[in-house]
């Protein structure tokens, strides 16, 4: 069972459980190497809702940070994180499947993978049916990343100079 912390609830949740901010920051910083010191301040996490394991407050196992952009029909996964002692137990796949269940065929899921993590995560996301053009892009701080996409519908990825367009195929 998972718990959803909506974006507008996050600050209050951190006030009630300050150690949860520290735990999420730890995960974000491992997933996003140039992450700033505050989950609430960094632009890659500040607008996120989170799915956490139900007893996260007392036993943090995993979390997923995401932003739903309904006008763009996009679900941006900023972070999928499983704490080290719980890895290789299927929790990462559980989070990916949770995001797919939320999106179904209503939008595409986008996740950016940092360049140095590609040797491990490229195969992982492809196993979970994500597609990529493989184009290496730079974030606002100059860090290299590659975008991966999933949709419950067939999609075509179109590479533009500064972005990848996800086009549904009928």
């Amino acid at each position: 069972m998972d718990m959803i912390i909506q974006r507008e609830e996050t600050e209050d949740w951190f006030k009630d459980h300050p150690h949860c901010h520290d735990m999420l920051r730890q995960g974000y910083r491992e997933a996003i190497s140039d992450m700033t010191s505050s989950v609430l301040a960094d632009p890659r996490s500040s607008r996120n809702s989170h799915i956490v394991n139900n007893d996260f407050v007392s036993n943090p196992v995993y979390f997923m940070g995401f932003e739903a952009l309904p006008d763009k029909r996009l679900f941006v996964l900023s972070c999928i994180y499983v704490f080290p002692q719980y890895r290789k137990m299927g929790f990462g796949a559980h989070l990916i499947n949770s995001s797919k269940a939320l999106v179904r065929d209503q939008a595409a899921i986008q996740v950016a993978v940092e360049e140095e993590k590609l040797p491990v995560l490229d195969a992982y996301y492809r196993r979970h049916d994500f597609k990529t053009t493989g184009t290496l892009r730079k974030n606002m701080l100059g860090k290299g990343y590659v975008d991966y996409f999933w949709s419950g519908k067939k999609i075509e990825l179109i590479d533009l100079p500064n972005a990848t367009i996800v086009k549904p195929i009928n």
Side-chain angles (χ1 to χ4, degrees):
M1 175 71 56
D2 293 329
M3 180 170 58
I4 297 178
I5 312 299
Q6 297 293 343
R7 178 182 48 86
E8 56 275 4
E9 302 167 339
T10 304
E11 191 169 355
D12 288 337
W13 188 60
F14 287 161
K15 285 178 185 172
D16 293 342
H17 310 286
H19 69 285
C20 289
H21 177 271
D22 296 338
M23 301 309 292
L24 263 63
R25 182 180 59 214
Q26 174 187 333
Y28 272 109
R29 287 184 120 171
E30 190 171 319
I32 305 170
S33 61
D34 56 358
M35 176 81 180
T36 62
S37 62
S38 172
V39 173
L40 294 172
D42 192 287
R44 294 159 295 184
S45 59
S46 62
R47 297 179 302 270
N48 284 352
S49 295
H50 294 87
I51 292 179
V52 300
N53 57 289
N54 208 33
D55 58 344
F56 189 92
V57 171
S58 60
N59 182 37
V61 175
Y62 58 79
F63 74 89
M64 174 174 68
F66 65 92
E67 181 179 13
L69 303 170
D71 56 320
K72 294 182 179 180
R73 300 179 56 84
L74 196 59
F75 184 92
V76 179
L77 282 178
S78 301
C79 185
I80 292 178
Y81 187 77
V82 178
F83 289 89
Q85 64 271 33
Y86 298 103
R87 292 184 183 158
K88 306 282 186 203
M89 296 180 176
F91 293 120
H94 165 72
L95 290 170
I96 288 174
N97 290 333
S98 294
S99 66
K100 289 178 177 181
L102 286 169
V103 170
R104 296 183 319 269
D105 62 354
Q106 301 302 306
I109 298 171
Q110 176 185 9
V111 61
V113 175
E114 290 185 346
E115 184 175 13
E116 62 272 5
K117 295 175 180 140
L118 286 171
V120 173
L121 293 179
D122 177 72
Y124 182 78
Y125 282 108
R126 287 178 188 270
R127 266 195 321 273
H128 289 282
D129 300 321
F130 280 74
K131 295 181 173 188
T132 184
T133 64
T135 300
L136 185 66
R137 302 195 187 283
K138 301 282 183 185
N139 72 10
M140 59 195 156
L141 300 173
K143 191 83 170 165
Y145 69 93
V146 172
D147 281 323
Y148 290 76
F149 299 89
W150 178 90
S151 177
K153 294 180 179 179
K154 289 186 177 195
I155 56 172
E156 175 186 2
L157 301 179
I158 302 167
D159 240 351
L160 299 177
N162 295 318
T164 301
I165 301 294
V166 180
K167 180 181 173 189
I169 300 173
N170 294 327

